[in-house]
Amino acid sequence: MKIFAMIVSKELLSFLRSIGLVLVVLYSFTADVYIAGSGIQIKPRNVVVGYVDATGGGVSQKILSKLHQPEFRPPVMFLSQKALSDAIFNKEVMVGLVFDDDFEKNYRSGKKAQINLLLDATAASQSLTTLIYLQNIIIDFQSMNFPLVLKSHKLFNQNADNHSFIALTELLSVITLLIVILTAIVFVKEKEDGTWDIMLLTPVNPKIIILAKSFSQVLIVMAGVVLSLGFVIFGAFDVPLNGSFWAFMLLTFFYSISSAGIGLFVAAVSKNVMQVAQLSIIIMMPLIFLSGAWTPVYAMHPVFQTLSLFSPLRYYIEGTESIFFRGTEFIDLWPYFSGVLILGTLLYLYGFRKIGKLF
Amino acid sequence: MKLTTIKAYILKEFMELYRTRLIIMVYLMPSMIVLLFGYGIRMDVTHARILIIDNDQSKFSQMLTSKFEHTKYFNAKVLHVSEKEALRSIKQAKTDAVLIIPSSFEKRLLHGQKSEIGIFVDASFPTRATTIEGYIKGTVLDTASEVAQRGGLSAKGLITLNQRTLFNQAMRDEDAIVPGLIGLVLLVAPAILAALLIVKEKEEGTIFNFYASPLSKGEFLLAKLFPAFLLHSINIFILFLIAVYIFNVPFRGSFMLYWLSSELYILISLSIGMLISVITSRQIVAVVLTVIITIIPGFLYSGMLMPISSMVGESYIEAHLFPVMYYNHILYDTFLIGQGLGSKKIIMYLLILVGFAVVLFSAGTLLLKKEMK
């Protein structure tokens, strides 16, 4: 046990001594999470709308006045359809509305009145949401004297605030990437420098060396998580925490160990730091993207859905979302904990044996 | 110019790329990223799991539920459970939304009294929540106005939106994302390779061979970057084939424009990598720095998540400072629009890209030192 503590503190010390690495870790846990969270905004905002109005005002202007901030910028008037479509082609305008001259007449006389809509659908999801907004505005407009109220509640995140969500997702990706790379580097560095052989000559049980070394990296990442939670997640973005903080820390701890297992595997097969970087990226990218960070798992291709069952990250992401936003009770978290634990044990044992063979 | 020396150097670089298996990275990474993101990112919502609690059981309410059942956007389940149980099923992430139709909904509606439909959406995934909410409201209001028309409740005409979506008629996610991904990948991958090629020599100490050799700085860079440039040029074609044949993205513009602007863009990306390798001395730092500098703007200002026209303030200005925006404008044009060189804006953006290439490349050349510190 004393030896274990010694190795852990030695690793922590050598981590703190390499300033470059410390800076990279600090950056990833703070600035990177912050930039991702504050920068990426997927909801339509400030959409530029252009319109051509041949009706001479009235109903068309009433509809246009319903397009307001923050989703839409004040609509811009164009004199001809040609000018409008040119602006759309040059991507200066995203939505074009054309009111034909018989629009108002048709509307007043109770016939079908048509608004022509030109939409740049290059950014498909944004255009889709914009289209939904526009449709709702028009339906709203005509059902004003209709006795139906829709009471809509967005649970857990009333304003559908994307920043907190993206920041949290980014933090999970950072944890995954760092724990794998850090663990792998600790071992490969020794291989590269040749100190590995010296380690073997010491009368210390190699199992303890491996355990202690990977544990020290888990500690570093856990410290980073606390920093990131304090300064960025709760500090800058005010992410709600509806569940238990300790449940999250426990889940993170288990998850870190399982990812450290992947790191051990990477270390066992690569010869130098460069190969570690390449291999980790090749392994981690699919893990991160197919585990529900950007798209919920059930919305993915069925093949990927099955594959993601074997990814500890999938359980970690779903579990974290449940803890932070849904505020799920501890008992209902069992699928996530057992998923992370089972896969984690398997991965860690596999990595442990793989790197143990080097002795 | 010492042509034979340069030739030897280029040959050595090729050999080294091949032997260190870096060549696998050159071809595997870009294709992998495009395939992963292309398949892994789904912004449009289909088959959202909605739980409908119908407390009315009338003709109207059944009409409404059947609307939800017969669309690809929802997987509707009509259950008789309490609100609390419905909420628990959201908490367990088994349901995305709950719709509650109140009792005597039809009666009140026919008497012209206000009645309230409750919608609960799980907003743990905010963008999807907004989309799902929009779909639900749209479906309900659509049904309502249909009923109103039939029942003669509203005297005025019905306004319809006659939508004509341009460039991406089916609003496929693939069409929107894949060209943007090409822009991202061609920015990141060459930059990493270029950064590594020089920093590796620094870390291993073999850079002293160059310091002592008769090669000038320009010739050294030529020898270093030429293999990277050539290898990544092939990626332009590979990515094109992936986009058009695997993801079925239409290609409406001129291939020449796509090819030339992409080559130009690779040159810019290589220059960024070169600049990074000038200031760093360790491979791992160089890789991380390149990823940080290229990926975030590559995503944010690509136009695939958010149109540049919708940006305000600082992000609008920042978008113009990175080459991504200009290249992606051309890229999306060649894939989805097809104006080509007929548009003045594209010619201007092409010239701006040339400017980027010249400035970045000469900056890298000037800053590279051919001596010990």
Side-chain angles (χ1 to χ4, degrees):
Chain A
M1 204 56 218
K2 205 182 152 203
I3 300 168
F4 185 83
M6 283 292 280
I7 301 176
V8 169
S9 51
K10 176 233 154 198
E11 286 304 334
L12 291 180
L13 202 64
S14 65
F15 168 76
L16 289 175
R17 278 195 189 139
S18 55
I19 295 166
L21 213 54
V22 174
L23 285 181
V24 166
V25 170
L26 278 183
Y27 172 87
S28 318
F29 273 116
T30 52
D32 183 64
V33 175
Y34 180 77
I35 291 172
S38 62
I40 299 176
Q41 175 66 270
I42 307 177
K43 256 199 299 184
R45 276 283 144 101
N46 302 306
V47 171
V48 184
V49 183
Y51 70 97
V52 178
D53 191 356
T55 61
V59 184
S60 58
Q61 289 299 328
K62 256 188 213 156
I63 292 176
L64 285 172
S65 71
K66 300 254 172 210
L67 307 175
H68 40 64
Q69 298 276 5
E71 286 87 8
F72 297 96
R73 276 194 229 171
V76 187
M77 164 127 149
F78 284 85
L79 289 175
S80 69
Q81 266 205 55
K82 173 88 179 52
L84 180 63
S85 60
D86 274 352
I88 294 179
F89 271 71
N90 278 330
K91 310 231 164 177
E92 281 145 15
V93 173
M94 190 169 143
V95 181
L97 294 171
V98 180
F99 298 93
D100 288 330
D101 44 9
D102 56 352
F103 168 75
E104 186 153 348
K105 209 164 60 198
N106 282 344
Y107 178 70
R108 297 244 182 253
S109 59
K111 272 189 265 173
K112 237 183 176 183
Q114 206 176 50
I115 303 171
N116 290 310
L117 172 78
L118 298 160
L119 183 65
D120 169 12
T122 315
S125 68
Q126 281 240 337
S127 350
L128 191 67
T129 326
T130 312
L131 188 63
I132 292 172
Y133 282 172
L134 285 171
Q135 263 163 355
N136 282 351
I137 286 170
I138 287 173
I139 294 172
D140 260 351
F141 176 77
Q142 37 190 342
S143 63
M144 272 189 301
N145 44 5
F146 191 75
L148 182 65
V149 182
L150 289 177
K151 254 243 160 90
S152 176
H153 311 265
K154 292 203 195 75
L155 300 171
F156 321 127
N157 189 353
Q158 278 84 356
N159 307 318
D161 165 32
N162 219 2
H163 298 304
S164 55
F165 175 73
I166 302 254
L168 196 63
T169 316
E170 182 69 13
L171 173 65
L172 303 188
S173 308
V174 166
I175 293 173
T176 312
L177 211 65
L178 279 183
I179 187 73
V180 171
I181 291 185
L182 284 178
T183 319
I185 283 181
V186 174
F187 288 95
V188 170
K189 261 300 220 198
E190 301 241 10
K191 268 195 195 173
E192 256 188 347
D193 297 346
T195 43
W196 196 230
D197 301 324
I198 299 174
M199 273 296 215
L200 295 185
L201 287 174
T202 55
V204 180
N205 187 349
K207 288 202 176 100
I208 292 188
I209 300 183
I210 302 173
L211 272 178
K213 270 177 171 286
S214 42
F215 183 70
S216 66
Q217 303 308 308
V218 171
L219 279 188
I220 292 173
V221 169
M222 294 297 285
V225 172
V226 173
L227 264 183
S228 186
L229 284 179
F231 285 111
V232 186
I233 302 290
F234 298 136
F237 291 113
D238 231 347
V239 180
L241 176 67
N242 297 326
S244 143
F245 174 75
W246 294 108
F248 172 69
M249 287 315 270
L250 196 65
L251 195 64
T252 307
F253 180 70
F254 289 144
Y255 175 70
S256 307
I257 290 178
S258 80
S259 304
I262 302 178
L264 290 180
F265 166 76
V266 171
V269 294
S270 40
K271 290 194 195 74
N272 52 42
V273 176
M274 214 40 244
Q275 281 185 357
V276 169
Q278 292 170 11
L279 210 62
S280 324
I281 290 173
I282 290 184
I283 295 179
M284 299 323 291
M285 289 276 283
L287 263 187
I288 292 176
F289 279 96
L290 301 177
S291 296
W294 292 79
T295 313
V297 172
Y298 71 86
M300 280 191 278
H301 195 272
V303 178
F304 293 132
Q305 286 191 32
T306 322
L307 281 179
S308 75
L309 284 175
F310 300 101
S311 152
L313 186 58
R314 172 192 171 159
Y315 304 100
Y316 184 47
I317 288 179
E318 280 184 14
T320 309
E321 274 172 20
S322 291
I323 293 172
F324 269 87
F325 295 116
R326 299 191 188 103
T328 314
E329 285 106 83
F330 198 76
I331 303 163
D332 282 333
L333 289 173
W334 69 268
Y336 313 121
F337 270 99
S338 51
V340 167
L341 265 177
I342 293 170
L343 283 170
T345 320
L346 290 177
L347 278 172
Y348 193 81
L349 278 181
Y350 178 70
F352 191 81
R353 290 191 52 184
K354 190 98 184 159
I355 195 135
K357 284 204 182 112
L358 297 176
F359 284 95
Chain B
M1 286 290 244
K2 302 154 202 74
L3 272 180
T4 37
T5 329
I6 298 177
K7 221 173 92 189
Y9 225 111
I10 291 180
L11 208 65
K12 174 220 143 206
E13 286 298 327
F14 268 122
M15 202 75 108
E16 224 171 68
L17 281 175
Y18 179 72
R19 281 196 186 142
T20 52
R21 291 192 228 124
L22 217 55
I23 188 125
I24 303 178
M25 288 300 288
V26 172
Y27 289 113
L28 184 67
M29 208 172 78
S31 311
M32 196 178 83
I33 292 179
V34 172
L35 287 173
L36 276 181
F37 281 59
Y39 278 120
I41 299 185
R42 281 281 168 282
M43 300 288 190
D44 58 346
V45 179
T46 53
H47 305 291
R49 299 160 301 179
I50 184 170
L51 188 76
I52 301 175
I53 302 177
D54 184 357
N55 290 328
D56 191 29
Q57 301 282 358
S58 63
K59 216 178 98 205
F60 274 5
S61 72
Q62 268 157 21
M63 192 169 139
L64 197 59
T65 48
S66 79
K67 279 263 181 188
F68 278 101
E69 278 162 352
H70 295 109
T71 152
K72 68 170 182 173
Y73 298 113
F74 296 106
N75 278 356
K77 254 194 286 179
V78 186
L79 287 180
H80 293 282
V81 290
S82 66
E83 281 184 35
K84 211 173 159 201
E85 277 169 83
L87 210 64
R88 179 140 189 259
S89 125
I90 290 187
K91 279 195 174 180
Q92 287 174 322
K94 285 180 184 153
T95 308
D96 295 312
V98 174
L99 183 84
I100 300 173
I101 304 172
S103 53
S104 66
F105 167 67
E106 185 185 56
K107 228 194 264 163
R108 289 177 73 92
L109 209 60
L110 287 178
H111 286 94
Q113 285 169 305
K114 285 257 180 223
S115 55
E116 223 175 71
I117 289 184
I119 302 170
F120 296 88
V121 187
D122 174 6
S124 313
F125 226 112
T127 4
R128 290 176 66 86
T130 318
T131 315
I132 292 175
E133 193 195 15
Y135 282 160
I136 297 177
K137 278 190 181 169
T139 313
V140 173
L141 289 172
D142 202 36
T143 320
S145 60
E146 215 174 277
V147 172
Q149 280 290 306
R150 226 182 285 162
L153 280 172
S154 90
K156 289 185 179 145
L158 189 65
I159 302 177
T160 53
L161 268 183
N162 173 31
Q163 44 161 310
R164 203 149 65 81
T165 36
L166 302 166
F167 319 137
N168 182 3
Q169 280 83 356
M171 291 216 196
R172 293 174 65 223
D173 267 339
E174 289 94 331
D175 292 5
I177 286 175
V178 173
L181 284 178
I182 295 181
L184 177 71
V185 157
L186 287 184
L187 181 70
V188 179
I192 292 183
L193 188 64
L196 279 182
L197 285 179
I198 302 173
V199 175
K200 201 174 81 190
E201 300 234 9
K202 274 194 191 172
E203 199 174 282
E204 290 172 359
T206 45
I207 191 100
F208 286 97
N209 293 353
F210 156 60
Y211 291 164
S213 77
L215 228 53
S216 75
K217 275 200 302 191
E219 289 162 344
F220 174 69
L221 286 179
L222 182 70
K224 276 280 176 200
L225 297 185
F226 184 70
F229 182 72
L230 212 62
L231 291 175
H232 270 294
S233 299
I234 300 174
N235 263 331
I236 298 177
F237 298 95
I238 297 179
L239 295 177
F240 173 79
L241 291 178
I242 290 180
V244 174
Y245 289 102
I246 295 187
F247 289 110
N248 292 320
V249 180
F251 191 82
R252 306 201 172 99
S254 96
F255 189 77
M256 271 311 267
L257 179 65
Y258 166 72
W259 182 51
L260 285 178
S261 55
S262 302
E263 295 282 11
L264 195 61
Y265 192 59
I266 289 183
L267 203 63
I268 294 173
S269 160
L270 287 174
S271 311
I272 293 176
M274 194 168 76
L275 271 173
I276 288 170
S277 70
V278 168
I279 52 171
T280 53
S281 55
R282 289 188 56 191
Q283 293 187 50
I284 193 78
V285 181
V287 171
V288 173
L289 201 62
T290 319
V291 167
I292 289 169
I293 291 181
T294 50
I295 283 193
I296 292 177
F299 244 115
L300 286 185
Y301 307 129
S302 61
M304 62 178 148
L305 297 176
M306 181 165 180
I308 307 285
S309 65
S310 308
M311 291 182 176
V312 279
E314 57 210 283
S315 57
Y316 183 76
I317 298 167
E318 270 171 53
H320 285 74
L321 295 179
F322 287 94
V324 195
M325 185 197 111
Y326 306 102
Y327 175 63
N328 273 25
H329 186 88
I330 300 175
L331 203 59
Y332 275 113
D333 182 82
T334 54
F335 271 101
L336 302 178
I337 308 174
Q339 288 186 100
L341 291 174
S343 148
K344 274 192 204 111
K345 202 162 180 182
I346 284 180
I347 295 177
M348 192 175 85
Y349 278 8
L350 211 54
L351 290 178
I352 292 176
L353 282 179
V354 173
F356 263 109
V358 171
V359 170
L360 287 173
F361 192 81
S362 25
T365 322
L366 282 175
L367 289 172
L368 186 78
K369 297 251 164 22
K370 193 187 186 269
E371 62 209 1
M372 283 168 68
K373 269 182 200 156

